Amino acid sequence: MAPKEQRKRVLIVGAGAAGMSCAQHLSQHPERFEVSLIDAVDYCGGQAFSIPIDKGKHKAGWLNQGVQGGSYIFHHTMTMFARHGFHADPVKLQLSFGKDDSFWTNIFPTKLLEKHQSEIKRFSTMLKIVRWCEPFFALLPIKYLMKLFWFSDDFTNRVALPMVALFLGTGNATPWVPSIILERLCTSPTYGMWYPADRLSVVSNLPPMVVFPNLSEFYETWRKSLVKEGVDVRLSTELTAVEKRNSDGVLVTMKQRTRVLDGHNPTNGDPEGLEWDEEYDELVLCVLADTAKQLLAKTATFRERHVLGSAKFSDDVTITHSDSAYMRKHYDSFYREDQAVSQLSGKDQTGRLEMARKDFKPMYYIKEYPEDESKLEMCFDCTNYQAQFPESVKFDDHVFQTIFLNKERDSKLWSIDEIEESKIIRKDWWHQLCHSFTHYLFVIPWLMFLQGKKHTRFAAAWTLVNAHEVAVISGIAAAVDLGARYPEDLERDKFALLSFRLYYLLVYGKWYKKRGSKQGDGSNWASGHYGSVYGGPGVAKEERTMHREEVQ
């Protein structure tokens, strides 16, 4: 190993998916890098963590919070699971949008879809036009796209917007999301959740998804692995300011945080805490854009202030609860004979109705507020969705997560006070990225001009779209840009390599060149369109494998 003083000292701020990925790949080169990883909270994982719940009542002893699952295109994420002895489980997604006369689902046709048959057919045609003319429509906000093609407000608010709000958690910023996201969700064979779009019922597929393992256990295992690899992992350690960035490196100020019982040290805590300075050669900020801007305040360039300041966020709250009465009042969780229809535009739908009568178990919900139907509330039935639960649990014992969006603007619409206090398990506030079209005009295209400048790189999901996979890729990209090696097994996974190359090109302005051999692990992990379907060791073959493993 090279003398310590010859190694590059790298500080990674933020121990979520991006920071952990960056640290892991730098740690593979101990002769070149001396890596420190810090976070103000007392756990690793960022928004991805688990909480304990009452196993006697809910039939499982833990619940994933913040991040629950993803898609088969998450090749990097699932490979990380496998490296540390974990796996995701498959699940086929069932949805319930709206309530009563506004109810519809991907499982069976309803009166709302029957009502909008002409608009649904026109929607399918619009998607083809947008696909053909993608450069023209790409960044047009969805709300304007729907008006341009003369869709009714009822169809836009009840059908189109929920389809996007669900996928990225865009919530009440969905009207301002670029049209390319809606179009690709329906036309892309790789990450199109609703591919192929249905000319009769908008969506009728069961999107193949994956649900994640116990994320607190996974990230703690990952943390221990990093420590063994020589990474200096310091939790409850907050970066308070970047004091200097020049040719000599980076000077930062830190302070020790007081640990709280569940590890979630509060924001702005320990105002009188003892501070100290440390010097590094390179800095990787795996934090939200507005946090990065605040930390760099003294040293930020004009371009950094404007690019980072253009990322917009809202404050949302997730209420984890078991209030089945609230769910019955606000959502449709069971098959509705009175809302089901046996035909759409003369086409028989009885086969779908038979399936729904036997096995309608919605996992994702969205409702519109009657006072403003363009504003949404989102919800998960975690018992139906997450794989540690048994297949059949009494509905009154289910665990739900209801998400109330954009406190500053929309809290007056919330029905949060209707959830029975005694049935609330936990409350979590989130500072969530708004995927507005402005993000793709004023943030993403300009990141390449920030990366590596003044010894600083930025890595997190906000650097592209809000997904765990993007966070993992962003951390690897920062490590690679510093001189680390992209993993050979992922090089042989053609979709993982393609995803990494496109991210690296878009966010760093560089094309990654393959270095590894063609034979070995990873060469058979990719299948389906462009190799997008992950088939490696990080995903189980059967649903609810985690539950069966825990029982055994």
Side-chain angles (χ1 to χ4, degrees):
M1 184 180 295
K4 185 174 180 180
E5 60 269 21
Q6 293 183 11
R7 293 189 291 160
K8 190 173 287 187
R9 298 165 300 169
V10 181
L11 174 64
I12 303 169
V13 183
M20 299 286 279
S21 299
C22 184
Q24 173 169 327
H25 291 83
L26 290 176
S27 73
Q28 303 307 301
H29 308 274
E31 75 285 354
R32 298 175 58 191
F33 302 105
E34 179 185 345
V35 183
S36 295
L37 172 64
I38 67 169
D39 203 304
V41 296
D42 204 52
Y43 69 96
C44 295
Q47 290 191 0
F49 62 93
S50 309
I51 62 170
I53 57 175
D54 184 347
K55 187 172 184 178
K57 176 176 175 58
H58 303 300
K59 314 310 179 205
W62 58 272
L63 184 80
N64 277 338
Q65 195 87 345
V67 177
Q68 300 193 50
S71 165
Y72 273 90
I73 66 173
F74 284 21
H75 290 225
H76 295 81
T77 294
M78 288 188 278
T79 298
M80 293 301 169
F81 290 157
R83 294 205 201 292
H84 298 92
F86 292 79
H87 63 79
D89 276 10
V91 65
K92 292 181 179 178
L93 198 61
Q94 297 194 33
L95 316 167
S96 174
F97 291 161
K99 172 73 173 167
D100 297 332
D101 291 340
S102 67
F103 165 63
W104 70 282
T105 172
N106 63 323
I107 306 302
F108 63 95
T110 66
K111 290 180 179 178
L112 181 77
L113 299 180
E114 182 181 49
K115 169 186 172 183
H116 286 297
Q117 279 298 283
S118 62
E119 289 191 278
I120 291 172
K121 293 174 182 177
R122 188 150 43 90
F123 183 77
S124 182
T125 301
M126 180 201 73
L127 291 172
K128 293 179 181 178
I129 294 172
V130 174
R131 180 73 164 176
W132 293 334
C133 307
E134 199 170 73
F136 176 75
F137 289 106
L139 295 180
L140 182 69
I142 292 174
K143 64 177 294 184
Y144 295 136
L145 177 74
M146 301 303 286
K147 289 184 179 297
L148 184 65
F149 284 87
W150 295 94
F151 288 99
S152 67
D153 288 343
D154 190 65
F155 180 83
T156 298
N157 294 332
R158 298 189 188 281
V159 179
L161 295 184
M163 292 168 63
V164 180
L166 167 71
F167 179 68
L168 290 174
T170 54
N172 289 342
T174 305
W176 300 100
V177 169
S179 293
I180 188 173
I181 293 181
L182 171 62
E183 176 252 308
R184 288 295 182 95
L185 284 174
C186 299
T187 65
S188 171
T190 54
Y191 71 81
M193 178 183 284
W194 311 125
Y195 175 85
D198 190 316
R199 283 185 61 84
L200 297 179
S201 56
V202 189
V203 295
S204 58
N205 62 330
L206 285 166
M209 307 291 284
V210 296
V211 286
F212 292 167
N214 185 309
L215 289 172
S216 288
E217 290 185 359
F218 164 67
Y219 272 100
E220 176 60 13
T221 301
W222 197 355
R223 182 194 68 80
K224 291 177 180 177
S225 173
L226 291 179
V227 172
K228 287 182 180 179
E229 294 289 340
V231 177
D232 176 24
V233 181
R234 287 181 279 162
L235 303 177
S236 292
T237 304
E238 181 178 353
L239 179 71
T240 58
V242 177
E243 304 289 351
K244 183 175 64 176
R245 294 183 294 162
N246 57 28
S247 58
D248 295 328
V250 180
L251 177 67
V252 299
T253 300
M254 300 182 186
K255 73 175 178 181
Q256 192 69 40
R257 295 296 308 276
T258 301
R259 295 175 175 86
V260 298
L261 187 61
D262 68 354
H264 293 256
N265 302 336
T267 303
N268 300 321
D270 301 293
E272 305 300 324
L274 180 66
E275 294 187 332
W276 68 93
D277 292 343
E278 294 186 8
E279 294 183 355
Y280 292 88
D281 299 306
E282 301 289 340
L283 176 66
V284 183
L285 291 174
C286 303
V287 297
L288 296 177
D290 52 357
T291 303
K293 180 184 175 185
Q294 180 182 350
L295 292 173
L296 295 175
K298 296 179 180 180
T299 65
T301 65
F302 174 84
R303 183 174 290 163
E304 285 172 337
R305 288 194 300 272
H306 281 263
V307 173
L308 298 175
S310 295
K312 306 302 180 186
F313 297 84
S314 66
D315 292 318
D316 308 335
V317 62
T318 295
I319 307 297
T320 303
H321 64 93
S322 59
D323 191 345
S324 58
Y326 179 88
M327 297 300 296
R328 287 186 172 93
K329 177 179 179 180
H330 291 280
Y331 299 98
D332 277 325
S333 299
F334 306 97
Y335 177 74
R336 292 282 302 265
E337 196 73 58
D338 62 322
Q339 291 295 329
V341 296
S342 59
Q343 289 190 343
L344 289 175
S345 296
K347 302 290 185 181
D348 181 67
Q349 302 288 318
T350 53
R352 294 178 66 197
L353 298 186
E354 286 301 317
M355 181 269 187
R357 288 189 185 101
K358 297 176 183 176
D359 194 35
F360 181 51
K361 295 180 178 180
M363 304 163 186
Y364 279 27
Y365 302 82
I366 282 180
K367 78 165 189 179
E368 304 85 24
Y369 291 111
E371 301 91 337
D372 184 347
E373 293 180 347
S374 68
K375 304 298 188 297
L376 308 171
E377 175 183 300
M378 301 167 58
C379 189
F380 298 92
D381 185 329
C382 301
T383 304
N384 282 344
Y385 184 41
Q386 295 190 25
Q388 70 275 21
F389 292 93
E391 189 170 356
S392 181
V393 176
K394 181 181 174 184
F395 187 72
D396 288 341
D397 294 333
H398 280 213
V399 180
F400 311 100
Q401 290 183 338
T402 304
I403 307 170
F404 299 94
L405 304 159
N406 201 326
K407 176 185 177 183
E408 182 177 358
R409 188 190 66 189
D410 300 326
S411 59
K412 61 183 180 295
L413 301 171
W414 293 358
S415 52
I416 190 170
D417 292 335
E418 295 183 30
I419 299 177
E420 186 178 329
E421 189 70 30
S422 65
K423 295 186 177 181
I424 293 176
I425 299 170
R426 185 182 173 93
K427 297 180 182 180
D428 286 285
W429 284 94
W430 315 101
H431 196 53
Q432 290 289 86
L433 174 68
C434 300
H435 293 77
S436 166
F437 73 100
T438 59
H439 193 68
Y440 300 94
L441 275 177
F442 305 126
V443 180
I444 305 300
W446 306 100
L447 283 173
M448 67 175 70
F449 302 108
L450 305 186
Q451 301 285 22
K453 302 298 188 294
K454 301 189 73 174
H455 304 282
T456 305
R457 288 163 181 83
F458 304 90
W462 66 264
T463 58
L464 191 57
V465 295
N466 189 27
H468 192 273
E469 176 74 355
V470 173
V472 173
I473 293 175
S474 73
I476 300 174
V480 167
D481 200 58
L482 282 163
R485 181 77 182 270
Y486 185 68
E488 287 193 29
D489 53 1
L490 288 172
E491 270 198 2
R492 290 188 282 267
D493 178 336
K494 63 181 181 180
F495 189 79
L497 178 62
L498 175 63
S499 300
F500 179 79
R501 279 177 158 173
L502 293 177
Y503 177 89
Y504 198 49
L505 179 64
L506 183 61
V507 179
Y508 284 81
K510 302 175 183 179
W511 183 253
Y512 176 77
K513 295 181 180 179
K514 287 182 67 173
R515 302 177 187 178
S517 62
K518 293 183 179 180
Q519 302 301 319
D521 290 343
S523 59
N524 63 346
W525 291 356
S527 63
H529 292 280
Y530 304 104
S532 60
V533 179
Y534 178 82
V539 62
K541 302 301 181 185
E542 298 181 2
E543 294 187 17
R544 301 194 185 270
T545 298
M546 289 178 220
H547 169 67
R548 290 191 292 274
E549 290 174 346
E550 291 196 2
V551 169
Q552 292 170 1

